[in-house]
């Protein structure tokens, strides 16, 4: 490496380490209680889903072998797209290999420098990156603030306006005010795109998310869902009218220029989707766990937010404090996310605790006990100081 490059990497490392933002990976251990993942319904561990993936691999082989537009679009992909469209009440759905790529692909295909994109401040990084890639004019509105959005829309002279929001916000767990977004978007002839990565499988009557069966494609024309979270597999889809999907197939570069997702994964996802639709008990168990965790956490005075979804952040503020709690929890066999800037704003570092239908009450008790121990240790420190 040249001197200049060596210095550049060393500077970036030093800066992150000084601010307690240096990230490390841990090989996940099977004896650790996972309160960090997004497998909200436990489907990533469901033997029926794994078996469908194994059967898919036996039938189709290990990979798709090509992109969708060449020869990689197989029956498993096609059947899954139809099932996803029916589930979300849309004409069509289009599979992408990841949610990150779906968001890049949609924004790049729809927006250009004559488009204005309006995003919630707390939108997922893939939406921010997609807007940058598209070359559109980008505006951010205050979190869940339709009045701020409305004033930005009113000032815009762009012919094409696109309003974009997470459905469930990934680091906060709160839910977008879809009704307000629909109303303001329609007033200004803007299209509305909702990325419901953390809502699909979890929210809504049939688990189709915070948009799915509640809002139609005239109200929310662009619906993105991911499959690596509650569905337990991998990939993502965009659902909407046929005209939208046809446009994406023609123009979405992250759809066109990449190998199709392994068809075995699509086969596994189809089984996961059937379970989501036919076994509401997993959502019931998840909600029981959320209610139990919140009740007990409030009782011991933990700084909960108002989130009612499986994402339950404890906002500790300081990066070093957040890291210290996460390390202590890990030593007690409990894994939670330690989320620091730049993922969240400065001063808002947090433990991101996620609940799953797979957790037992005793698991949640262990988490709560470990959190209470962190609290006690801090009180003792203050007393000694
Ligand atoms: C996780 C996530 C994505 C990315 O999905 P992947 O399939 O993991 O790439 C996109 N949007 C939101 C809101 C997410 O939480």
């Amino acid at each position: 490496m040249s001197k200049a490059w060596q210095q550049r990497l060393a500077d970036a490392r030093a800066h992150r380490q000084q601010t307690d933002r240096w990230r490390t990976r841990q090989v996940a251990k099977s004896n650790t209680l996972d309160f960090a993942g997004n497998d909200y319904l436990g489907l990533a561990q469901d033997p029926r889903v794994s078996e469908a993936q194994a059967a898919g691999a036996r039938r189709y082989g290990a990979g798709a072998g090509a992109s969708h537009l060449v020869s990689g679009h197989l029956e498993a992909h096609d059947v899954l797209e139809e099932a996803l469209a029916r589930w979300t009440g849309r004409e069509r759905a289009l599979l992408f290999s990841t949610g990150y790529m779906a968001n890049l692909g949609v924004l790049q295909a729809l927006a250009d420098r004559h488009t204005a994109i309006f995003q919630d401040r707390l939108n997922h990084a893939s939406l921010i990156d997609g807007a940058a890639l598209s070359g559109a004019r980008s505006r951010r509105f205050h979190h869940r603030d339709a009045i701020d959005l409305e004033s930005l829309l009113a000032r815009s002279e762009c012919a094409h306006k696109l309003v974009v929001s997470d459905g469930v916000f990934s680091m906060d767990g709160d839910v977008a005010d879809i009704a307000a977004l629909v109303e303001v978007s329609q007033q200004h002839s803007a299209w509305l795109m909702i990325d419901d990565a953390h809502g699909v499988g979890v929210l809504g009557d049939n688990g189709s998310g915070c948009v799915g069966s509640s809002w139609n494609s005239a109200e929310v024309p662009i619906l993105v869902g991911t499959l690596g979270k509650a569905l337990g597999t991998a990939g993502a889809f965009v659902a909407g009218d046929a005209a939208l999907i046809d446009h994406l197939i023609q123009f979405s570069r992250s759809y066109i220029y990449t190998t199709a997702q392994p068809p075995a994964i699509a086969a596994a996802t189809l089984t996961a989707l059937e379970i989501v639709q036919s076994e509401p008990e997993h959502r019931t168990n998840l909600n029981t766990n959320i209610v139990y965790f919140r009740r007990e956490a409030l009782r011991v005075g933990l700084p909960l937010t108002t989130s009612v979804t499986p994402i339950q952040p404890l906002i500790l503020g300081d990066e070093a404090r957040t890291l210290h709690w996460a390390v202590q929890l890990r030593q007690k066999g409990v894994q939670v996310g330690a989320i620091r800037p730049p993922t969240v704003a400065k001063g808002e570092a947090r433990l991101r605790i996620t609940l799953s239908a797979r957790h037992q009450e005793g698991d949640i008790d262990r988490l709560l006990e470990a959190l209470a121990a962190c609290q006690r240790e801090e009180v003792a420190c203050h007393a000694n100081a």
Side-chain angles (χ1 to χ4, degrees), residues 34-359:
D34 186 353
F35 285 99
N38 303 312
D39 182 21
Y40 302 123
L41 301 177
L43 293 176
Q45 302 297 330
D46 190 303
R48 293 169 293 177
V49 178
S50 314
E51 181 44 44
Q53 189 163 328
R58 284 191 293 270
R59 173 167 172 196
Y60 295 101
S67 64
H68 283 281
L69 294 185
V70 177
S71 61
H73 187 67
L74 299 164
E75 194 188 353
H77 299 125
D78 216 62
V79 171
L80 177 59
E81 287 182 343
E82 278 177 24
L84 290 166
R86 271 197 306 281
W87 186 45
T88 54
R90 265 63 186 167
E91 268 178 17
R92 301 262 300 275
L94 187 69
L95 268 181
F96 281 76
S97 295
T98 71
Y100 189 93
M101 290 170 70
N103 284 337
L104 288 194
V106 169
L107 291 173
Q108 165 267 318
L110 290 178
D112 59 17
R113 59 194 181 80
H114 306 293
T115 313
I117 297 180
F118 303 85
Q119 307 218 37
D120 189 290
R121 277 244 176 102
L122 298 189
N123 273 359
H124 190 261
S126 54
L127 294 167
I128 308 301
D129 296 356
L133 179 67
S134 75
R137 290 178 230 179
S138 257
R139 294 272 176 283
R140 310 276 283 269
F141 56 92
H142 297 311
H143 180 49
R144 295 185 80 257
D145 186 342
I147 295 172
D148 189 39
L149 168 62
E150 140 80 14
S151 77
L152 292 177
L153 281 165
R155 269 183 272 150
S156 167
E157 280 162 17
C158 271
H160 298 104
K161 303 185 186 81
L162 186 58
V163 173
V164 184
S165 177
D166 281 18
V168 175
F169 289 87
S170 49
M171 297 301 138
D172 291 77
D174 54 347
V175 185
D177 184 349
I178 305 289
L181 291 172
V182 168
E183 188 185 329
V184 174
S185 300
Q186 290 191 339
Q187 271 167 13
H188 292 272
S189 307
W191 251 13
L192 176 58
M193 168 177 180
I194 300 292
D195 171 2
D196 204 15
H198 296 274
V200 293
V202 172
L203 301 178
D205 288 342
N206 59 354
S208 65
C210 73
V211 170
S213 45
S214 317
W215 299 94
N216 65 33
S217 67
E219 294 156 332
V220 180
I222 309 159
L223 170 59
V224 175
T226 66
L227 305 170
K229 287 162 183 158
L231 273 293
T233 56
F237 65 92
V238 181
D241 288 348
L244 169 72
I245 302 305
D246 281 338
H247 184 85
L248 295 178
I249 293 172
Q250 298 304 313
F251 298 109
S252 183
R253 296 170 66 86
S254 65
Y255 180 77
I256 300 165
Y257 298 108
T258 197
T259 301
Q261 170 183 80
I265 296 186
T269 306
L270 186 64
T271 295
L273 180 57
E274 283 162 6
I275 295 172
V276 166
Q277 292 176 290
S278 63
E279 298 179 6
E281 56 268 34
H282 305 298
R283 283 193 294 285
T284 309
N285 291 343
L286 173 60
N287 284 318
T288 304
N289 284 343
I290 295 168
V291 169
Y292 180 73
F293 171 76
R294 287 187 60 80
R295 193 185 71 211
E296 295 301 308
L298 282 174
R299 211 169 50 74
V300 298
L302 290 166
L304 284 188
T305 67
T306 56
S307 163
V308 294
T309 67
I311 302 169
Q312 292 290 326
L314 291 184
I315 299 181
L316 299 178
D318 180 66
E319 283 106 306
R321 183 183 180 206
T322 302
L323 206 53
H324 183 64
W325 281 49
V327 169
Q328 280 187 301
L329 289 168
R330 201 183 312 125
Q331 283 163 358
K332 295 185 165 72
V334 176
Q335 176 81 40
V336 304
I339 310 293
R340 289 155 286 160
T343 306
V344 294
K346 192 162 161 46
E348 292 190 14
R350 66 195 62 188
L351 298 182
R352 178 177 181 272
I353 295 167
T354 52
L355 295 161
S356 162
R358 255 165 60 89
H359 291 133

